[in-house]
Amino acid sequence: MSQTAVARKKPAIETEDLQFHYDSLHALKNINLKIERKRITALIGPSGCGKSTFLRTLNRMNDLIPGIRTEGGIWIDGENITERSTDPVELRKKVGMVFQHAAVFPGSIYENIAFGPRIHGVKDKKVLDELVESNLRSAALWDEVKDQLGKPAIGLSGGQQQRLTIARTLATKPDILLMDEPTSALDPISTSKVEQLIISLKEQYTIVIVTHNMQQAARISDYTAFFLNGEVKEYGSTDFIFSNPAYQETKDYIAGKFG
């Protein structure tokens, strides 16, 4: 078996006894997860259970918060990214993030997409043009904006802005996409478009999504991790978690009895 084939069989992300502290708050406890390559993994659980904190450990966004402490390992492509030798800038290029509220940059639609490649040294106008088009196509937005690339991005609808932020994230050529409640601020039609986009993207990317929407998790994810009080209470295929959970707490949460 080739080295490439072996690599494809390995999890995209693997955590080992991961602990995370905000000062004296023990926010994540003994997280051991294997997140499969080119699949969608949903993180569910009540508010304050550690979902978003865990998501942000995967590209070290938590490093920006004073007083944090991480223990254990997070392995991506054979590298323990918790080590000081890891370059957070390079890591965030490989592990892109889409936030709850679409944060479009000031300026045009074109400039929003071209920004990342320019930061990483792409200067050729023809190359940038191709990158803008290909990434807007990947985000299912090209046909809607191709005649207004020079217009301010802030003029787009909420759903279009969220797809634009996804396109901007794709422009830096990540392997992994992290999404923190990417549709929570959107109307049902826009939510449906973003969900369809997410499903199509798993052909090329490993996707980890935090969601409070149980129907969304059931619709789009391949695997689901249920977080409770900073721990992963249960993890497995989404079909299994939603139809035959091992723990009563999982069943109660999915049924809407708490959260």
Side-chain angles (χ1 to χ4, degrees):
M1 185 180 294
S2 69
Q3 288 186 343
T4 301
V6 171
R8 285 175 182 161
K9 285 183 174 292
K10 292 182 178 179
I13 304 167
E14 185 169 1
T15 67
E16 182 178 316
D17 296 329
L18 178 64
Q19 318 275 343
F20 185 83
H21 301 257
Y22 295 108
D23 291 321
S24 61
L25 175 64
H26 196 175
L28 296 176
K29 308 164 188 173
N30 300 311
I31 307 295
N32 292 281
L33 280 180
K34 294 182 179 180
I35 295 175
E36 299 300 324
R37 198 173 300 275
K38 294 186 178 179
R39 295 291 185 269
I40 300 171
T41 299
L43 311 181
I44 65 171
S47 297
C49 67
K51 306 182 300 296
S52 293
T53 294
F54 173 73
L55 195 74
R56 291 193 299 266
T57 66
L58 303 181
N59 69 349
R60 289 189 37 183
M61 288 292 289
N62 288 323
D63 288 14
L64 305 174
I65 303 171
I68 62 99
R69 187 170 83 257
T70 305
E71 300 166 5
I74 303 171
W75 300 89
I76 297 177
D77 291 338
E79 179 186 3
N80 183 358
I81 65 164
T82 66
E83 299 289 346
R84 289 185 177 181
S85 58
T86 297
D87 181 347
V89 174
E90 286 301 309
L91 174 64
R92 291 168 195 150
K93 182 181 176 183
K94 180 187 295 186
V95 185
M97 191 155 191
V98 176
F99 296 95
Q100 180 176 1
H101 297 285
V104 297
F105 296 161
S108 69
I109 295 168
Y110 183 99
E111 290 302 324
N112 265 263
I113 306 301
F115 178 82
R118 280 199 180 114
I119 288 294
H120 293 286
V122 178
K123 304 298 182 185
D124 187 278
K125 178 67 163 55
K126 183 178 179 181
V127 174
L128 287 170
D129 289 349
E130 291 172 351
L131 283 169
V132 168
E133 179 175 348
S134 65
N135 287 291
L136 286 171
R137 286 188 182 279
S138 294
L141 192 56
W142 173 253
D143 289 340
E144 297 173 39
V145 303
K146 62 184 178 183
D147 297 324
Q148 48 186 317
L149 296 179
K151 292 184 178 180
I154 196 68
L156 296 174
S157 71
Q160 288 175 322
Q161 287 187 26
Q162 191 61 295
R163 282 183 284 150
L164 179 65
T165 63
I166 292 171
R168 189 178 66 209
T169 303
L170 299 180
T172 59
K173 299 182 179 179
D175 297 323
I176 297 166
L177 292 177
L178 309 179
M179 298 185 169
D180 196 354
E181 298 191 68
T183 64
S184 64
L186 303 181
D187 62 83
I189 293 175
S190 296
T191 293
S192 178
K193 288 183 178 180
V194 172
E195 285 184 359
Q196 291 171 26
L197 169 59
I198 292 170
I199 291 169
S200 71
L201 290 175
K202 77 172 181 179
E203 295 179 7
Q204 297 176 267
Y205 306 94
T206 300
I207 299 172
V208 186
I209 179 171
V210 169
T211 180
H212 278 102
N213 186 325
M214 294 303 94
Q215 290 77 23
Q216 180 174 82
R219 282 193 299 265
I220 72 172
S221 69
D222 302 290
Y223 296 91
T224 295
F226 173 53
F227 279 70
L228 188 63
N229 299 323
E231 300 178 301
V232 175
K233 186 69 176 180
E234 192 162 356
Y235 177 57
S237 74
T238 296
D239 287 345
F240 182 84
I241 295 292
F242 277 78
S243 63
N244 190 28
Y247 295 94
Q248 187 65 39
E249 294 98 326
T250 313
K251 184 176 181 179
D252 289 346
Y253 180 76
I254 290 171
K257 293 184 178 180
F258 71 99

